Amino acid sequence: MPELPEVETVRRGLQPVMEGTRIVKVETRRPDLRFPLPERLVETLTGRHVTAIGRRAKYLMMHLEGGPVLICHLGMSGSFRIEEPDGSSTPGVFHHERSKLAAHDHVVFTVENGSGRPSRIVFNDPRRFGFMLLSDEASLDEHPMLAGLGTEPTGNALGGALISDLFRDRAMPLKAALLDQRLIAGVGNIYACEALWRAKLSPRRAAGSIAAKPGKTSQRAERLAKALREVIAEAIVAGGSSLRDHIRTDGSLGYFQHRFKVYDREGEPCPRYECSGVIARMMQGGRSTFYCPVCQR
DNA sequence: AAGTGAACCTGAAGGC
DNA sequence: TGCCTTCAGGTTCACT
């Protein structure tokens, strides 16, 4: 489910309910996700105030008073849902299920904002590829899961010049380069496909082939940088993509999936104006790549 | 270095 | 109805 836009959507959902609140209870309903849950998870979090909910690439960070940071990754199927207090005026679809937990609800946080009406934040992950790790504010950047991450594909940091520098002399296919979190961090299978279509670049092309010669600029690298920034930004505005299940913390759906141009559209005509191509699917590194063989070169 | 395949795990969808 | 295969938004590791 979650690439950068989905994780950012989750962050924005959690922020108003968690920031500034105190965690009054943490319940773990199994000992492990992808990794064993941190041994001291419950005792470290219980009773502490949440100071901020952050994000880096596809990682969520729950910052706690006094220094601890809970690093969360949603894997393929992880999600958080928020259960507002009974009688809250905030709309939520889970009021009636307040006392029930569903299959694959693995970690339950109860937070208290001072009104005397606690909310529950429930982490659900059927496939358990997600994980939670404890770190500390002071050493967060050096945490093994975060230290090697590349540039965020948001804002102005990612430009043609940087793409050129990152991709120069690399023989790996562009698609593989986009999925390499050490180069650009947060792009997954969907947005890699979509960005390459927008940039009219073949997923097969060697990454190094779009790099500018020293001292020059590369139109292809500029196009790819722009396509990445735009598709990520648009997806965040749309609340991410919801494919097989709900994504947003309030139970509503993101709607960017309706704007996919190539992803999961094998056999459909290429949506580009006056392109006669048909969207194709191939496997690269064990993942499906969707692309237009006609206009993506 | 690049490419492939497998592994982790569950569930949905499609074919028969 | 059931049984089987294939595939899925991520990451990592072993091997050619």
Side-chain angles (χ1 to χ4, degrees), chain A residues 36-223:
Chain A
L37 287 165
E39 269 180 43
R40 304 173 62 83
L41 176 69
V42 172
E43 56 193 285
T44 302
L45 268 57
T46 303
R48 268 186 219 267
H49 281 89
V50 179
T51 56
I53 305 292
R55 179 193 60 76
R56 171 78 170 100
K58 301 172 191 172
Y59 295 85
L60 275 173
M61 263 88 66
M62 195 181 295
H63 296 261
L64 298 153
E65 118 191 76
V69 180
L70 185 67
I71 300 172
C72 304
H73 196 290
L74 303 177
M76 289 278 262
S77 58
S79 63
F80 281 96
R81 75 169 187 272
I82 295 166
E83 299 180 355
E84 300 283 1
D86 290 338
S88 162
S89 59
T90 305
V93 295
F94 298 100
H95 287 188
H96 310 298
E97 302 170 345
R98 179 137 176 67
S99 59
K100 294 187 206 156
L101 288 175
H104 310 302
D105 284 344
H106 303 311
V107 183
V108 183
F109 304 88
T110 306
V111 300
E112 166 68 69
N113 64 8
S115 73
R117 302 199 307 202
S119 298
R120 287 205 312 198
I121 293 95
V122 183
F123 179 73
N124 180 286
D125 185 5
R127 294 177 73 178
R128 301 202 303 277
F129 288 171
F131 53 87
M132 295 186 185
L133 299 168
L134 273 175
S135 182
D136 196 85
E137 199 71 55
S139 57
L140 187 59
D141 290 345
E142 291 88 59
H143 190 281
M145 302 301 307
L146 306 178
L149 292 174
T151 305
E152 293 271 317
T154 52
N156 297 324
L158 185 70
L162 180 60
I163 295 246
S164 280
D165 290 343
L166 292 172
F167 288 8
R168 184 168 294 119
D169 296 331
R170 291 186 189 271
M172 63 166 64
L174 272 179
K175 170 80 180 308
L178 291 183
L179 293 180
D180 189 335
Q181 303 296 301
R182 298 168 300 184
L183 303 176
I184 299 167
V187 179
N189 204 37
I190 291 176
Y191 298 106
C193 292
E194 294 295 312
L196 287 168
W197 179 84
R198 289 183 181 219
K200 295 187 182 182
L201 292 169
S202 168
R204 287 191 159 100
R205 172 191 273 275
S209 72
I210 71 164
K213 305 282 184 249
K216 305 208 172 172
T217 61
S218 157
Q219 231 193 15
R220 292 188 180 93
E222 296 291 343
R223 284 210 310 266

